[in-house]
Amino acid sequence: IGQTFQDVMKSARPRPELVHFDPNSLNPVLAWTDADSVDHVTWYLDATTAFNQVRAGTRLGALGHAIWRLGSEDPAIWNVLTEHGLTGPAAGVESIAGGYDVEFDGDGELLRIATKPSNGKRTVQVDPGTGLIVSQELDHAPSPTIVRRTGSDAQQTGGRRIALTFDDGPDRRWTGPILDTLKSRNAPATFFVIGNNVERYPGLMRRIVADGHEFGNHTWSHPNLGLVPAFLVKLEIASTARLLEAILDRRTVFFRPPYFGDAEPTSADELVPVGVASDMGYITAGVHIDSDDWRNPGSDAIIRQVVNDRYRGNVVLLHDGGGDRAQTLAALGPLIDSLRAHGDTLVPLSDLAGVTHDQAILPLPRRSMAQRMIELGTCGAVSLIEWSFYWVFLLAMVLGIGRVVVVLTLAAVQRFTRRRPPPPGPPLSVDVLVPAYNEEKVIARTIESLLAQRYAGQLRVIVVDDGSPDRTFEVAREAFGVDPRVDLVRKPNGGKASALNLALSRSTAEVLVCLDADTIFETETMARLVEPLHDPRVAAVAGNAKVGNRVNLVTRWQALEYVTSQNTDRRAFATLNCITVVPGAVGAWRRSAVIEAGGFSDDTLAEDQDLTLALRRQGHVIAYADDAIAWTEAPDTLRALAKQRFRWSFGTLQCAWKHLGALFNPRYGTLGFVALPNTWVFQLLFAALSPLADLLFAWSLVAVAMARFQHGATYALDTLENVAVYYAIFLLVDWIGAVLAFVLEPGEDLSLTWLIPLQRFAYRQVMYFVVVRSFAAALRGRLVGWGKLERKATVERPA
């Protein structure tokens, strides 16, 4: 070694000089006579040598130091180097980490961790004059991970013992025929099963054992165990083991990690599951003969691959689940014949492990029936939950698509077939009820828009200030106090329903028109809203509410929702006479019908919906005037939006529960069989489940990212493309539905429909969140208040 360094010094330019070399410690230190030419120093030496060299190089002005090559260095070297050179005293090199390498003891594809890595220790002496290490003494050497391998044939030519193993089952379609083929040729095999599949097909597991085959643990959900914490590795293995024990009364000693490369684990992601399994008493089954049948290369290619690789080992990897295994099934019979023709003997995995069949899948002591039922019941409950999620989401998808088609069709019928006959007789008298609370910024404009209505009949505005702490009443009185068409009333705060009922008690007209104090009517809205009430069968009319403050993304999202959801639904349900909400922002009511129903109820936070349902249950017709347009102020922040929609959602839940007796009641026709089921299923239940669906979608993306490590980049990209295609189709259908809804609204801004993709990722999450909150509040019996929003006075009629 000393001569080697002498040669290095002679050939180097500029020529270095030997500063120090201790033959006992093998610590050469080189320096350059021309220090100005030194840029960096590259060494491949142990930590003590590196310590000396870095210290010397730093003194000579070296700009940096490098290690060649990573993965082969003394791990203690990282106690020597930092970005700028030396760190800490020489004692930093005394502890020697176990290293990165893995050593193997024996040969074969059955693995156990025999020894885990341990640190070593050395003692060093430092020259006080130079600060260099002059000697070292190894106290005890570090130990790497040692993997003990068994199960190999010593004979390398002629016939061998071959164990057929099948991963990823049991599978309803493929495991049975594979068992038939094995039985027809009297060939044993070992099935590494996934707990999730065992849970679905316990009968197939019983048949595997009954046919004399063995089984191994392949985790519960087939994750890449190198990418999850050790406790999850243990949970995956243990949960599958308990299920197998509950079903079969047997315990396996074999385990195979998903995505396990071969029988020579050298990296942490391969060693971690082997180590956990070894601690749990399992023998890990690796593989040297991979059929690559998961690639579906063709049955002939599968046979050729196995036969060509039969001298590499004794364990053959095949699959009976996880995809289309038709080629595996087609290859299995000829493969067995080919291996036997080469003189090989097919054996169970226990034969390679040197244990008996019953030792490999150990019969358990008789346990109580109660314990067995508890274990099976627990696994069955998990299976039921998974089954429920699958069918609920499938049903939601089918119903959702069906609903879009039906609603748009009915909305189109309403839009293009309605006729407006001339109203018979004189115009109806109208009292406009305006409940107000903290509306000083908007109340004047609202009253102005009402007084500017082109309506031929008698019209009076009744404004009820519900104990506003601001100047709502004063602003209204200053502007309209002397106008005989405006009746201003002030009362202590009691809620919107109480304000409406006070206005109802002061009204005398045939028709009541209600609107929120932040709403502006177009000049023809009143006439068009009242017109359907000339039909004595009609008790209420829903107007067309639109967002009038489209000032940012949040309010534009709401404008989109008003058109595609609320107004389109009203069009469709008007065709079936099952409108569930005459909106508080713009609605007309026959006064006699309202009095007959008991006025505006304060039982719920949605008094408008409550009264609409009550009138419909009494047999009245609820109409929709799509050209009676009102512009309302929408919340302009997500926080304010969540506050408002929580009240709406909770009020809807209250109304749906209050009128539960009408659900599927033939007496109420389409209200009971269309409108109320729509409310429960689409507005409440599916909305509450949507966050879970989003979480599952997000998890699918995580799974795709993991697939890059598990199957390779090509597979990951293919899977990502599939997910992206399905989601793109979903967004496209959503967008097409929105465009059709906008076509039914003359004059609407079609460019809003391009916000549909963004709406999916933010706005609708708020909607789902408030529904979940509503259910939570209802279950807790929580008292929910009105939740008044701050007015901004930003409503404008779009040009």
Side-chain angles (χ1 to χ4, degrees):
I1 295 176
Q3 184 60 45
T4 300
F5 281 102
Q6 296 291 339
D7 295 340
V8 170
M9 290 188 293
K10 292 177 182 177
S11 62
R13 293 292 182 272
R15 181 177 178 180
E17 295 179 355
L18 181 63
V19 176
H20 179 80
F21 182 80
D22 183 344
N24 296 318
S25 62
L26 305 180
N27 291 329
V29 175
L30 306 182
W32 276 261
T33 55
D34 182 5
D36 293 338
S37 67
V38 180
D39 292 326
H40 65 275
V41 186
T42 302
W43 301 101
Y44 172 49
L45 299 166
D46 71 3
T48 55
T49 303
F51 178 89
N52 287 346
Q53 292 165 346
V54 170
R55 175 155 290 188
T58 301
R59 290 174 180 173
L60 293 171
L63 301 181
H65 304 81
I67 298 173
W68 183 263
R69 60 186 169 85
L70 290 180
S72 299
E73 75 280 0
D74 180 342
I77 204 169
W78 300 110
N79 297 329
V80 174
L81 292 178
T82 65
E83 181 181 355
H84 301 294
L86 288 173
T87 178
V93 305
E94 292 186 335
S95 177
I96 312 172
Y100 316 115
D101 294 335
V102 178
E103 293 186 6
F104 297 96
D105 178 16
D107 195 11
E109 292 139 295
L110 302 179
L111 316 174
R112 274 186 174 175
I113 300 293
T115 303
K116 293 186 177 180
S118 62
N119 293 339
K121 190 177 185 306
R122 60 188 157 204
T123 302
V124 299
Q125 292 184 356
V126 180
D127 185 333
T130 63
L132 302 176
I133 297 174
V134 295
S135 67
Q136 65 172 321
E137 182 178 346
L138 186 65
D139 298 323
H140 57 87
S143 173
T145 300
I146 298 178
V147 178
R148 180 166 293 119
R149 299 188 299 187
T150 58
S152 175
D153 273 341
Q155 181 183 359
Q156 297 299 314
T157 59
R160 303 173 62 84
R161 292 180 300 163
I162 299 293
L164 300 178
T165 64
F166 294 86
D167 281 11
D168 299 349
D171 183 275
R172 176 180 57 85
R173 185 176 180 186
W174 305 112
T175 303
I178 285 174
L179 288 171
D180 292 338
T181 303
L182 293 171
K183 187 174 184 179
S184 68
R185 284 169 168 77
N186 194 28
T190 302
F191 291 80
F192 285 91
V193 295
I194 297 173
N196 201 18
N197 292 339
V198 173
E199 181 186 46
R200 296 174 185 171
Y201 311 116
L204 285 173
M205 278 308 307
R206 295 188 181 98
R207 182 184 170 188
I208 287 172
V209 176
D211 284 1
H213 302 294
E214 296 171 355
F215 62 89
N217 191 320
H218 199 44
T219 72
W220 182 271
S221 61
H222 203 268
N224 187 332
L225 298 181
L227 303 178
V228 300
F231 79 93
L232 287 181
V233 175
K234 187 173 182 180
L235 180 62
E236 284 275 341
I237 298 172
S239 56
T240 303
R242 294 306 298 269
L243 176 61
L244 289 169
E245 292 169 12
I247 292 174
L248 303 171
D249 272 334
R250 285 179 177 267
R251 176 178 298 157
T252 180
V253 299
F254 296 126
F255 168 70
R256 176 178 284 156
Y259 313 109
F260 196 57
D262 51 28
E264 298 175 359
T266 56
S267 59
D269 60 333
E270 292 179 321
L271 285 172
V272 167
V274 176
V276 173
S278 295
D279 291 340
M280 297 175 70
Y282 285 94
I283 299 173
T284 299
V287 60
H288 273 158
I289 311 174
D290 190 346
S291 67
D292 280 343
D293 62 337
W294 62 273
R295 299 178 185 273
N296 286 325
S299 58
D300 291 341
I302 293 172
I303 297 169
R304 185 167 52 252
Q305 176 89 354
V306 172
V307 171
N308 290 342
D309 288 350
R310 51 187 290 275
Y311 290 110
R312 296 187 61 229
N314 301 86
V315 180
V316 177
L317 173 60
L318 298 157
H319 293 82
D320 67 322
D324 186 346
R325 300 302 172 220
Q327 293 182 7
T328 303
L329 179 60
L332 182 57
L335 174 61
I336 293 172
D337 297 339
S338 296
L339 291 173
R340 285 172 171 167
H342 283 81
D344 295 335
T345 302
L346 298 182
V347 298
L349 204 57
S350 59
D351 193 74
L352 297 179
V355 297
T356 67
H357 176 79
D358 280 346
Q359 288 173 329
I361 50 173
L362 183 67
L364 297 176
R366 182 176 298 276
R367 296 170 297 168
S368 69
M369 181 61 70
Q371 180 182 356
R372 181 183 178 89
M373 293 303 295
I374 290 173
E375 292 175 349
L376 290 176
T378 302
C379 296
V382 173
S383 178
L384 179 61
I385 291 172
E386 293 178 348
W387 178 87
S388 299
F389 278 146
Y390 173 81
W391 285 105
V392 165
F393 291 137
L394 180 61
L395 181 64
M397 182 176 64
V398 173
L399 290 179
I401 294 175
R403 182 186 184 278
V404 169
V405 173
V406 171
V407 166
L408 287 175
T409 301
L410 292 173
V413 170
Q414 186 275 342
R415 171 68 178 83
F416 296 111
T417 63
R418 64 180 175 84
R419 297 290 183 268
R420 187 183 297 278
L428 302 173
S429 58
V430 176
D431 282 341
V432 184
L433 313 186
V434 185
Y437 180 78
N438 279 7
E439 310 285 5
E440 65 173 306
K441 294 181 180 180
V442 297
I443 189 66
R445 289 188 64 194
T446 297
I447 298 175
E448 286 173 1
S449 77
L450 295 173
L451 297 179
Q453 291 297 299
R454 295 173 185 166
Y455 184 65
Q458 175 187 333
L459 187 146
R460 182 172 61 133
V461 180
I462 303 175
V463 179
V464 179
D465 176 44
D466 189 32
S468 301
D470 68 353
R471 298 187 67 254
T472 298
F473 184 79
E474 287 76 8
V475 169
R477 184 174 58 186
E478 291 168 4
F480 306 102
V482 297
D483 193 318
R485 297 171 297 173
V486 180
D487 182 8
L488 300 176
V489 185
R490 188 178 227 173
K491 63 178 283 291
N493 180 256
K496 185 177 180 181
S498 67
L500 287 170
N501 284 328
L502 177 58
L504 173 63
S505 68
R506 300 174 68 92
S507 68
T508 57
E510 299 167 279
V511 174
L512 305 175
V513 171
C514 299
L515 75 158
D516 296 331
D518 63 334
T519 302
I520 295 177
F521 276 15
E522 293 192 347
T523 55
E524 301 294 336
T525 294
M526 190 68 68
R528 293 167 178 169
L529 187 63
V530 173
E531 190 175 287
L533 288 166
H534 284 278
D535 184 343
R537 298 172 302 169
V538 177
V541 182
N544 191 337
K546 294 178 178 290
V547 173
N549 60 327
R550 305 179 185 188
V551 295
N552 60 19
L553 187 59
V554 175
T555 55
R556 290 189 181 95
W557 275 335
Q558 292 172 82
L560 177 63
E561 182 204 13
Y562 271 52
V563 174
T564 60
S565 179
Q566 299 180 29
N567 292 337
T568 302
D569 283 0
R570 289 194 186 100
R571 286 186 187 276
F573 292 160
T575 307
L576 303 176
N577 186 27
C578 57
I579 290 176
T580 58
V581 185
V582 172
V586 51
W589 312 82
R590 191 177 301 278
R591 180 172 173 271
S592 59
V594 173
I595 293 174
E596 180 185 357
F600 295 91
S601 172
D602 59 1
D603 291 347
T604 73
L605 292 180
E607 76 292 328
D608 48 6
Q609 183 175 12
D610 191 7
L611 181 57
T612 304
L613 293 172
L615 294 178
R616 180 60 186 82
R617 292 183 70 176
Q618 290 176 354
H620 298 292
V621 173
I622 311 298
Y624 178 51
D626 58 348
D627 52 358
I629 296 174
W631 301 95
T632 188
E633 182 176 313
D636 58 3
T637 66
L638 288 178
R639 181 183 295 273
L641 174 65
K643 185 177 180 181
Q644 180 201 64
R645 294 307 174 87
F646 173 64
R647 171 170 56 82
W648 287 13
S649 177
F650 193 82
T652 298
L653 180 59
Q654 289 176 311
C655 289
W657 184 260
K658 180 177 179 179
H659 296 276
L660 190 62
L663 185 65
F664 299 122
N665 191 327
R667 175 181 175 185
Y668 303 110
T670 54
L671 176 68
F673 285 92
V674 177
L676 287 177
N678 174 79
T679 299
W680 276 109
V681 173
F682 294 102
Q683 292 181 240
L684 296 173
L685 296 180
F686 280 5
L689 290 174
S690 291
L692 181 58
D694 291 339
L695 287 175
L696 292 178
F697 175 73
W699 172 248
S700 70
L701 295 181
V702 173
V704 169
M706 292 174 63
R708 181 177 182 88
F709 299 97
Q710 298 169 347
H711 294 289
T714 302
Y715 174 87
L717 289 175
D718 291 343
T719 306
L720 184 60
E721 286 179 5
N722 291 336
V723 174
V725 166
Y726 286 127
Y727 199 71
I729 292 173
F730 173 73
L731 289 178
L732 179 62
V733 171
D734 208 13
W735 178 77
I736 292 173
V739 170
L740 294 176
F742 269 70
V743 169
L744 301 178
E745 293 275 341
E748 263 296 350
D749 182 7
L750 196 61
S751 66
L752 287 175
T753 59
W754 295 110
L755 296 177
I756 282 286
L758 283 176
Q759 191 185 53
R760 278 281 168 199
F761 290 105
Y763 177 82
R764 295 196 181 181
Q765 312 310 312
V766 176
M767 302 299 101
Y768 303 151
F769 170 71
V770 298
V771 172
V772 173
R773 278 190 60 203
S774 299
F775 274 100
L779 291 173
R780 293 197 306 267
R782 172 184 167 188
L783 183 64
V784 177
W786 185 258
K788 174 66 179 177
L789 301 176
E790 179 188 357
R791 302 300 186 193
K792 303 289 184 67
T794 53
V795 173
E796 297 291 341
R797 298 184 183 93

